[in-house]
Amino acid sequence: RAIRDIRPDFLYKRHARFDVAALMAARRMGVPAVLEVNCLFTAEHYEQFEPHSLRRMAVRLERRALSLADVVLAVSTPLAAQIQQVAGVRAVVLPNGADPKRFDPDRSNGTRVRERFGLQEAFVVGWAGVMRDWHGLDLLLEVVAAIPYARLLVVGAGPARDAFEQRARDMQVAERIVITGRVPQEEMPEYLAAMDVAVVAS
């Protein structure tokens, strides 16, 4: 009904598990569909963290979603290759972006964040995102354990936080870790500027 009433130039959809309805509606109404893919939910390395109880259906619907889209966007080159290999669909790589005016190193040096968390003179290794198992945050604990002068700044929260904090205590590095919880997007440049090294742990 929305497609019929609005008649958009195209439909832009983010890929989700078991979700093909909007793509089918766009195809039925003759509206081109763009599908943004951040992961393949049925990929083996992803499924180890979130297994499917209806795996065959999940695989079929994921491939159906990819085939229904007129354009498939992948957020990385490896993901585009995976989409091609799994579904035989060519994906265009469109990396996640940032506003260079907002995220300008000359506009912030992270001093306020460092002062707030007692990191003034520290060598700060930082990570930002939703704390989930597949992000490989345990690797950062190993880094902190191996580099005694490093402090770890984790900007975010999520379902893996409790386990991460427990592991940090078990490794006796908890006192060198700061977890901020969720931070408003407009404050992120200041937090990133507070990091000496920003890491994608996975």
Side-chain angles (χ1 to χ4, degrees):
R1 195 160 50 238
I3 292 171
R4 185 174 58 243
D5 293 346
I6 298 168
R7 294 305 304 174
D9 295 321
F10 63 93
L11 178 136
Y12 189 97
K13 176 159 186 344
R14 190 168 187 185
H15 180 48
R17 197 185 316 253
F18 298 109
D19 189 359
V20 297
L23 295 165
M24 290 177 70
R27 175 68 60 91
R28 182 175 179 182
M29 300 298 293
V31 172
V34 178
L35 181 65
E36 175 195 323
V37 180
N38 289 271
C39 72
L40 291 179
F41 293 103
T42 60
E44 189 175 327
H45 70 273
Y46 186 92
E47 207 173 2
Q48 65 180 309
F49 301 109
E50 291 189 359
H52 289 92
S53 55
L54 302 170
R55 189 173 196 288
R56 287 196 332 193
M57 181 185 293
V59 169
R60 288 183 64 184
L61 289 176
E62 186 159 72
R63 291 183 181 174
R64 179 77 173 132
L66 293 166
S67 68
L68 282 169
D70 295 280
V71 177
V72 175
L73 301 178
V75 295
S76 71
T77 303
L79 180 57
Q82 186 183 35
I83 292 167
Q84 175 72 46
Q85 180 183 8
V86 168
V89 173
R90 183 179 171 275
V92 177
V93 177
L94 183 67
N96 291 323
D99 181 347
K101 292 178 181 173
R102 175 176 284 180
F103 291 89
D104 180 353
D106 294 331
R107 293 184 63 183
S108 173
N109 59 14
T111 301
R112 285 180 295 184
V113 170
R114 282 178 170 260
E115 288 175 352
R116 179 178 176 192
F117 295 105
L119 302 170
Q120 291 91 325
E121 304 302 322
F123 178 77
V124 178
V125 177
W127 179 89
V130 179
M131 298 176 73
R132 297 186 185 277
D133 292 335
W134 60 82
H135 284 148
L137 293 173
D138 283 357
L139 294 173
L140 292 179
L141 294 177
E142 293 176 25
V143 167
V144 172
I147 306 173
Y149 59 85
R151 298 284 303 275
L152 177 59
L153 176 64
V154 175
V155 182
R161 179 173 179 165
D162 290 345
F164 178 80
E165 290 179 317
Q166 182 58 56
R167 183 149 165 75
R169 287 190 293 272
D170 294 344
M171 295 176 68
Q172 299 181 337
V173 295
E175 73 283 354
R176 291 194 284 127
I177 296 172
V178 171
I179 303 176
T180 66
R182 288 190 68 167
V183 169
Q185 204 271 344
E186 60 270 16
E187 295 179 19
M188 281 303 299
E190 185 80 15
Y191 280 82
L192 293 178
M195 303 172 186
D196 293 298
V197 176
V199 178
V200 177
S202 57

